[in-house]
Amino acid sequence: MTIYSTPGSADRFPARAIVVGGGPVGCLAAAMLARHGFEVDVCERRPSFLQHGFGDEGRTINLSVSPRGMRALAKVGCRQDFADAAMPMDRRVVHTRDRQVLITRYEQPGWRNHSIARNELNLLLLRNAQRRPGVRVHFSTACASIDFDRREAVFATSAGEQVRPYHLLVAADGAHSQVRAAMLDSGLLTCQQTTLDARYRELTLRPAEPGRLSRSAIHVWPREGFFLCALPNVDGTFRATLVLPAEGQASFEEIRRTGLRNLVRRHFGDTVPDIDWHTAQSRDAPPARMEQILSSTLHYRNSVVLAGDAAHTMAPFLGQGINAGFEDLITLDNVLARAHPGGLGAALSEYSRERKAQGDAAAMLSMTNYRELTAQTGDGRPPAPVSGLPLPIVINFLGLSYQEVLRQHLTIDGLVPSSIATGS
Ligand SMILES: Cc1cc2nc3c(=O)[nH]c(=O)nc-3n(C[C@H](O)[C@H](O)[C@H](O)COP(=O)(O)OP(=O)(O)OC[C@H]3O[C@@H](n4cnc5c(N)ncnc54)[C@H](O)[C@@H]3O)c2cc1C
């Protein structure tokens, strides 16, 4: 067995790591593990998006990456590449039902989120990982099953099944993680899964007049029970997400009956001239579901960890999924750097404890923000925060852990009992 040194310590780890999933978290995980001397095989189910593109442009989303996520990007030296491809956002603009525009500027210089297409971020991190010695990426390679005791993962490829042995396996295969499902089947964890009533679909906004929508802002149109939000792209367009209940008044069912344009005209009238109706109609994909999936543990002994959406799938209402996933990897990096020889099991256990607590808290905060975005305020204004700063500012910029935000913000607002907020 080859033994490699870890950065920043004389500790040593066995060499072979498999990362299941070549999404943003998987690619970043590969780069981090390579820093610790692991030989890393990233196994991605999709065909090579370097060669063939993503093929899902109609469904791609924009992500708001906060300083939390940026810290992880800095660790693997791709902060500048990221900044070149992303749009900085220094304000939040709320568009009320009565067409008022309420602007909240983020006052401190470091208070910036960045908007980037998920696919763009994925490419950037893939290239970063591939530049590292020891990292190999295998496309069209889908994890099918795992023997956790023998430490062997089976992958379906166009050339048939491949069995890959591993010392460490990182599950970064997203919300419907095959690794998590295999652990569930083997009795290694349990999951809490909630499917939300709300669904979403993507729209493109192409402002009819330049400057009509600030390009350095996240835009939100909160309504009673539903909302629209939009993030800027570098090309001057905006990627918008329309979130509605599946059925009832102002729902996707209503869109099926009376058309998207009708619903937009009634509830988001100021956006009618800006929506790219051509792509909205030609890419009329069914609305997507939203889920929250939380696991009882994020590791198995000294050989498996879950990260990103595979570890904690949360509702997207606070824009924390990728940020929490990247924070997972900062913690993984830290525990690996501190681990003793032969102490991988203790390191992964520490990772699991810490990130489960934070992931659960982030998921709960996301659900709380849904209530704030869709509250019955009558005039389409979000309710004023009881505890001072709005939750998105507290969560993105104050450097607090998700657990701490939950404890401080929500016990003050009285939205959850303190016993939940403190995790006791
Ligand atoms: C509408 C919406 C808006 C969002 N907005 C934000 C936001 O503003 N900010 C934010 O932080 N987060 C946001 N999120 C959440 C964010 O998209 C996710 O948290 C993030 O994409 C998770 O990254 P990941 O790499 O863990 O998983 P994924 O991005 O899902 O990647 C998983 C990868 O694993 C691969 N895979 C799956 N199964 C297998 C298998 N069996 N074998 C091999 N490979 C496999 C997939 O092909 C994929 O490439 C949003 C989510 C939604 C739905």
Side-chain angles (χ1 to χ4, degrees):
M1 183 186 297
T2 324
I3 304 290
Y4 289 79
S5 300
T6 60
S9 76
D11 303 343
R12 286 164 191 283
F13 292 109
R16 188 183 295 236
I18 292 179
V19 175
V20 180
V25 170
C27 291
L28 187 55
M32 289 230 179
L33 291 174
R35 275 161 40 89
H36 287 272
F38 284 92
E39 292 278 333
V40 189
D41 287 289
V42 179
C43 297
E44 165 58 43
R45 183 177 58 183
R46 291 176 289 170
S48 169
F49 36 84
L50 278 176
Q51 284 170 14
H52 308 296
F54 287 90
D56 59 354
E57 279 74 12
R59 293 213 80 122
T60 188
I61 51 176
N62 272 35
L63 302 176
S64 168
V65 179
S66 77
R68 289 173 178 278
M70 300 276 284
R71 279 177 50 227
L73 296 173
K75 276 213 172 210
V76 296
C78 70
R79 211 185 149 115
Q80 192 53 49
D81 289 347
F82 171 79
D84 292 344
M87 285 294 293
M89 299 182 291
D90 66 358
R91 66 198 70 176
R92 177 183 173 83
V93 177
V94 171
H95 303 259
T96 68
R97 193 179 269 289
D98 55 7
R99 299 202 177 197
Q100 287 190 57
V101 176
L102 313 175
I103 301 172
T104 309
R105 282 208 171 74
Y106 307 147
E107 281 155 14
Q108 307 293 327
W111 288 12
R112 299 280 178 277
N113 291 323
H114 284 77
S115 165
I116 188 167
R118 181 192 170 285
N119 291 348
E120 198 62 45
L121 179 63
N122 205 160
L123 265 183
L124 197 138
L125 289 169
L126 174 67
R127 292 197 179 108
N128 181 282
Q130 281 184 319
R131 279 200 291 270
R132 290 163 195 274
V135 175
R136 289 172 298 269
V137 182
H138 313 275
F139 289 101
S140 302
T141 301
C143 181
S145 63
I146 300 168
D147 185 327
F148 292 101
D149 292 323
R150 292 171 66 97
R151 299 180 181 213
E152 285 178 354
V154 178
F155 292 89
T157 74
S158 53
E161 274 194 352
Q162 281 176 0
V163 180
R164 291 178 177 271
Y166 62 84
H167 299 108
L168 176 63
L169 183 139
V170 177
D173 49 345
H176 300 110
S177 167
Q178 180 64 31
V179 179
R180 188 183 59 214
M183 288 176 77
L184 189 63
D185 286 348
S186 306
L188 305 180
L189 53 70
T190 56
C191 282
Q192 263 189 328
Q193 179 161 358
T194 312
T195 302
L196 278 61
D197 291 337
R199 306 266 194 282
Y200 76 91
R201 65 159 292 176
E202 300 298 312
L203 295 168
T204 300
L205 300 186
R206 238 173 253 288
E209 296 157 30
R212 238 168 74 87
L213 291 178
S214 163
R215 294 187 61 208
S216 48
I218 176 170
H219 294 266
V220 189
W221 290 258
R223 299 294 181 259
E224 303 74 23
F226 57 102
F227 68 92
L228 179 74
C229 76
L231 293 171
N233 289 314
V234 280
D235 66 2
T237 63
F238 290 76
R239 198 76 182 152
T241 307
L242 175 62
V243 177
L244 299 173
E247 291 174 352
Q249 292 243 311
S251 66
F252 281 107
E253 192 237 332
E254 184 187 317
I255 291 182
R256 262 194 312 280
R257 278 190 291 107
T258 63
L260 175 66
R261 201 184 279 262
N262 237 341
L263 182 130
V264 170
R265 202 179 289 129
R266 277 207 297 139
H267 299 290
F268 308 103
D270 53 336
T271 66
V272 170
D274 299 331
I275 289 186
D276 181 341
W277 291 104
H278 177 67
T279 55
Q281 265 128 30
S282 65
R283 292 175 182 157
D284 203 3
R289 287 172 187 275
M290 288 184 274
E291 287 172 318
Q292 176 182 286
I293 308 173
L294 301 174
S295 301
S296 57
T297 181
L298 307 187
H299 85 299
Y300 175 60
R301 295 191 173 159
N302 58 355
S303 56
V304 180
V305 275
L306 309 181
D309 277 17
H312 33 67
T313 305
M314 60 193 74
F317 307 128
L318 253 181
Q320 293 304 311
I322 202 70
N323 292 299
F326 285 177
E327 269 194 355
D328 291 344
L329 301 177
I330 294 178
T331 304
L332 186 61
D333 193 54
N334 290 343
V335 298
L336 288 178
R338 286 200 305 267
H340 305 294
L344 197 53
L348 301 191
S349 167
E350 185 187 341
Y351 163 87
S352 177
R353 244 191 340 271
E354 169 65 13
R355 293 316 297 168
K356 172 167 171 52
Q358 300 304 340
D360 287 2
M364 196 178 290
L365 287 161
S366 297
M367 288 307 298
T368 303
N369 207 47
Y370 179 57
R371 271 173 254 142
E372 294 194 13
L373 279 172
T374 60
Q376 306 280 342
T377 52
D379 56 4
R381 280 182 173 73
V386 180
S387 59
L389 290 168
L391 184 55
I393 289 187
V394 175
I395 210 160
N396 286 321
F397 304 135
L398 297 196
L400 301 170
S401 72
Y402 290 117
Q403 257 194 319
E404 182 61 16
V405 176
L406 190 63
R407 198 181 63 74
Q408 283 189 10
H409 189 81
L410 298 187
T411 49
I412 294 167
D413 284 1
L415 289 171
V416 292
S418 55
S419 57
I420 297 177
T422 53
S424 59

